[in-house]
Amino acid sequence: MPLRMPVRMSSTGLLSSYLLVLFALLLFVQPTNARAAIDAQNLGAKYDATASNITFRVYSSRATRIEVWIYKTAQGAQEKVSYVLTKDTTTNIWSKTVSVATLSGTYGITGTVFYGYRAWGPNWPYNSAWTKGTGTGFASDVDANGNRFNPNKLLIDPYTREISHDPITATCQDGSLYATGATHRNKDSGACAPKSIVLATDTTSIGTKPTRALKDDVIYEVHVRGLTMNDTSLPASIRGTYAGAAQKASYLAGLGVTAVEFLPVQETGNDQNDIDPNSTTDDNYWGYMTLNYFAPDRRYASDKTPGGPTREWKAMVKAFHDAGIKVYIDVVYNHTGEGGAWGGTDGLTVYNLYSFRGLDNPTYYSLTSDYQHPWDNTGVGGNYNSRNTIAQNLIVDSLAWWRDALGVDGFRYDLGSVLGNSCQHGCFNFDKNDSGNAINRILSELPSRPAGGGSGVDHIAEPWAIGGNSYQVGGFPSGWAEWNGIYRDALRKKQNKLGLETVTTGTLATRFAGSSDLYGDDGRKPWHSINFMVAHDGFTLNDLYAYNSKQNNQPWPYGPSDGGEDNNNSWDQGGNLAEQRKAARTGMAFLMLSAGVPMFNGGDEALRTQFGNNNAYNLDSAANWLYWTRDSYEADFETYSKRLIAFRKAHPALRPANFYSGVDNNGNVMEQLRWFKPNGAQADSAYFNDANNHAIAWRIDGSELGDGASAIYIAYNGWSGSVNFTLPWPGTGKQWYRVADTATWNEGANTVVTPGSETLIGGENTVYGLEARSVLLLIAK
């Protein structure tokens, strides 16, 4: 989530004296409308089997009239024809079937059909004298029931499979065309507005989906455009596109990545970035302002013609699937690209109408108790009404579209706590036990992947939002994995804030072993913890150890960027470059040697930097794109990352399906895993809880975890000076061999050695001196 802060039904047996009250309540309460199947309402615009007719279907419970306006071209021209839709009063679905032959023969519309909706409602009743660009019939921008209908605004179909362009383009730069309020309400947006596109069925293959268990994944979070924009080895025409990303499948597979997680790729408003390439004002690089939940963003397609983005996306997915890599996408169902109120002569009455708000505002948005403004747990414009059944339909239908038609294997839910809201208007309350909220419905209709692998969806929550009880790390129900922000914070503090923050070795042990305190209480497993040290939000791995504070006010191309977290738990290691590189190696080792699923940010495998900017959401610049040249240190770190990932993949003991038996903070006897003090004695509760202790080691018995007969020993020295570790028993007839030591003396291409090249260290009671803030990895042979 960008850290930018600006911009059910009642019984019918009631006495008649209560009917007026009931009628008023029914204006605001939606029926449960349980569905027999996903997308049962068949919304959107679709050709029939013979492509002879197009049926338009759109939902609105509050509109009094809806028309579909059809265009021959995407922008710059007026409509060719419009039709009035008919409402089904039982389902609130408005529909119209149109002959393709009529569109062609009478109106000259051949090839692609572009369209949009215009809607009237209680705050703007239909008047036959109305013409576009006038206020005829207007009553109010918003009424007491939260309606915001305005027929001057052409609306995107929420269920369209592609849209033609963004609201702001080089030829249509007036964003006020979509606004309400006295100054803007009569401006007609038709010629400039994005058009929905009627697409025929596409048969491009998505390949064979991997069925790998989530516990065995290594996740690589990256931006589609940023992945290849700087890659001069690719043709210029495909850099920054889905086609370009497809060319990186073999690289990521060779690195050891098993799942690529793309920042938002559902259509978002980012064409402005091309209008002034050196601007940071209102630029939308990350993409967390969704305009449509079904359409692949056409800006990332080298083929931008209608249907091109869909075909190119699917071809990219196939390339990753062919390489054995899952494709995850970051989805933003907590707010939309329509945003919140913005200034001007009308102050808070100015809102944009692109789609949802103009069709059924109280259905699609959670509003304040007076229904006049959005409720906001996002900081960027108001909550999507995730507790509403119809709004949930759109979430589930679009997820199913991406899963089934577009080949996606899993989803990361931005500000996922909003999807756990248990109320609609005038409130926010996360409640995982509410069977009717979005997080439980998603699991019900889109089942998660089984623990041992197979078909299903990997559901990953960003388990927080802003305000209320929205911080929910460990609070999601069974079936959900989570970004473990507590893991990140504890390890950053221990590494970078010695003497300033208290993190006990017991806390470290719990995090390294899969965070059973967070995920074990509701039947979840270590692999429901998505472990990360950094993500797109915040510093890169390199910058976490190279800057004491964010550097967001730099000039283009490194900034400026507003917002960004101030409490980063970062440290520049005293400005010592060798120490910075060691710290980065140690941070990567934390990820790959912990139980849970590791995730790192694109480029972290080669010490990518954002030059200290920790909120680069608006920088569509070379400074924010991955770079593909390597100096010697970057090349060494890439080799280090690759070999460390390979070690993790070679040892199932590091990827446990269940919590290690006997793991606790009380020094109890443990079998699969045992914790040790530096002196070789087993760690007890006194040691775990003493804030003065900064070193911990653990031995994993691989023979009990499907890892042959090998034992693994890991030691972390979080102290500011060297510490001697006395090694435990390696197993009968075995000795300890060094795989890796992240210390400064061990820099180079062989910080992690290849299998068979390990260095003999010795047997039980051998003493090993471990440098400050370093990790040691041994294997018994």
Side-chain angles (χ1 to χ4, degrees), residues 356-422:
F356 314 98
R357 184 173 285 136
L359 284 168
D360 201 328
N361 186 46
T363 287
Y364 288 113
Y365 291 104
S366 180
L367 305 176
T368 52
S369 58
D370 62 2
Y371 288 78
Q372 299 301 288
H373 307 293
W375 188 275
D376 193 358
N377 283 92
T378 71
V380 287
N383 292 14
Y384 186 81
N385 191 1
S386 65
R387 188 57 181 82
N388 181 282
T389 301
I390 298 301
Q392 286 179 7
N393 288 353
L394 186 145
I395 293 175
V396 173
D397 291 343
S398 60
L399 289 171
W401 174 254
W402 284 89
R403 179 195 64 179
D404 300 334
L406 301 183
V408 169
D409 304 285
F411 302 94
R412 180 267 189 188
Y413 298 80
D414 178 67
L415 297 188
S417 295
V418 173
L419 303 185
N421 196 5
S422 60

Side-chain angles (χ1 to χ4, degrees), residues 282-326:
D282 294 326
D283 276 4
N284 176 13
Y285 174 63
W286 282 351
Y288 288 88
M289 295 296 283
T290 310
L291 295 173
N292 181 269
Y293 290 109
F294 291 84
D297 195 321
R298 100 216 80 72
R299 186 166 185 254
Y300 305 144
S302 60
D303 177 4
K304 294 179 173 60
T305 62
T310 297
R311 291 189 297 270
E312 191 170 322
W313 166 268
K314 293 171 71 174
M316 179 202 70
V317 169
K318 183 178 186 300
F320 282 109
H321 285 171
D322 289 350
I325 296 174
K326 295 177 182 176

Side-chain angles (χ1 to χ4, degrees), residues 442-455:
I442 288 168
L443 288 182
S444 174
E445 298 197 31
L446 303 169
S448 56
R449 195 182 309 278
S455 61

Side-chain angles (χ1 to χ4, degrees), residues 225-295:
R225 180 170 167 84
L227 178 60
T228 62
M229 272 299 291
N230 269 338
D231 190 349
T232 57
S233 71
L234 298 179
S237 61
I238 67 169
R239 294 175 199 164
T241 69
Y242 304 130
Q247 300 300 309
K248 290 300 178 184
S250 60
Y251 166 79
L252 292 179
L255 183 62
V257 167
T258 65
V260 59
E261 179 178 305
F262 287 117
L263 269 64
V265 293
Q266 294 166 319
E267 190 69 62
T268 188
N270 52 22
D271 284 343
Q272 286 175 273
N273 301 13
D274 292 323
I275 297 171
D276 182 358
N278 297 325
S279 172
T280 61
T281 304
D282 294 326
D283 276 4
N284 176 13
Y285 174 63
W286 282 351
Y288 288 88
M289 295 296 283
T290 310
L291 295 173
N292 181 269
Y293 290 109
F294 291 84

